[in-house]
Amino acid sequence: MSRSFYDLAFGVDPGGARKDTHYVRGSLEEVQRDLAAELAEEINLYLLCRYGARLTLDVYQEGKQTDSIDLHPFLTLSTAGRPDITFTGPGEPVGYDFEADEEAEDETTTLSYRMFAGALGDAVKVTVHWDRVEVPPLNGDVVREGDVVELHPRPHHVAHTAAYGRQDFEE
């Protein structure tokens, strides 16, 4: 029997950085906690802003992918003393010119560097506007601890089997 589940996918294609993390979950509350934990790590903010990391919530109903929700438009990064940063999509931050950081005389003063170095601490707050995300409820038999599911491949990627919980296919 094929189960229904959410796949929170956060990744960067190979190049200067790599990440291919998935969270297979049976409830939106679990996904929300997982995303909060990922976004609490400043290096992941750097990957979103500088590398155009993918961030999607894929919905599988009875083993078939039925939706893929880009979560970028629902994020707001607030950093003390700077305008908020929002996203129109992957690699499309609005509110800060990350390309200009490359021209800085002292890179250690740039937002890019501070994210990469994990030097923002309490000066950064990330908000996910879940109230604006239209996530369909799961139907039928929902994935649970111990289950293994098939994730559909993205373009230029291979299919993966994934167990319930966190998977990192780059490790």
Side-chain angles (χ1 to χ4, degrees):
M1 175 188 314
S2 296
R3 299 198 190 273
S4 297
F5 61 95
Y6 297 116
D7 172 26
L8 175 64
F10 189 2
V12 176
D13 290 332
R18 297 182 98 147
K19 183 175 182 80
D20 192 13
T21 302
H22 294 257
Y23 292 87
V24 172
R25 297 296 189 187
S27 75
L28 186 55
E29 293 78 20
E30 291 172 302
V31 167
Q32 291 169 336
R33 284 192 301 271
D34 294 333
L35 183 56
E38 284 288 327
L39 297 177
E41 296 181 33
E42 291 177 43
I43 191 66
N44 289 332
L45 302 181
Y46 177 80
L47 294 175
L48 283 169
C49 294
R50 293 294 290 147
Y51 278 88
R54 296 183 305 287
L55 183 59
T56 59
L57 179 59
D58 296 330
V59 181
Y60 288 76
Q61 302 288 8
E62 299 171 354
K64 293 183 177 30
Q65 185 178 357
T66 58
D67 289 284
S68 185
I69 303 164
D70 178 12
L71 294 175
H72 290 87
F74 306 103
L75 298 178
T76 302
L77 280 63
S78 302
T79 307
R82 299 180 190 270
D84 285 350
I85 298 167
T86 58
F87 297 83
T88 56
E92 299 172 1
V94 176
Y96 185 84
D97 184 2
F98 286 94
E99 298 296 321
D101 283 358
E102 294 177 18
E103 307 301 321
E105 285 188 35
D106 180 3
E107 77 169 9
T108 64
T109 64
T110 67
L111 187 55
S112 295
Y113 177 86
R114 295 182 68 213
M115 282 179 177
F116 181 78
L120 291 172
D122 292 340
V124 67
K125 178 184 176 217
V126 181
T127 304
V128 181
H129 302 279
W130 286 107
D131 58 322
R132 296 186 352 225
V133 185
E134 294 183 27
V135 180
L138 296 175
N139 300 323
D141 197 16
V142 176
V143 71
R144 58 185 173 261
E145 188 73 39
D147 287 344
V148 175
V149 298
E150 183 75 22
L151 302 179
H152 296 274
R154 299 182 181 285
H156 313 293
H157 292 85
V158 296
H160 290 291
T161 54
Y164 177 89
R166 182 181 190 277
Q167 316 287 303
D168 190 343
F169 296 112
E170 286 297 330
E171 292 183 333

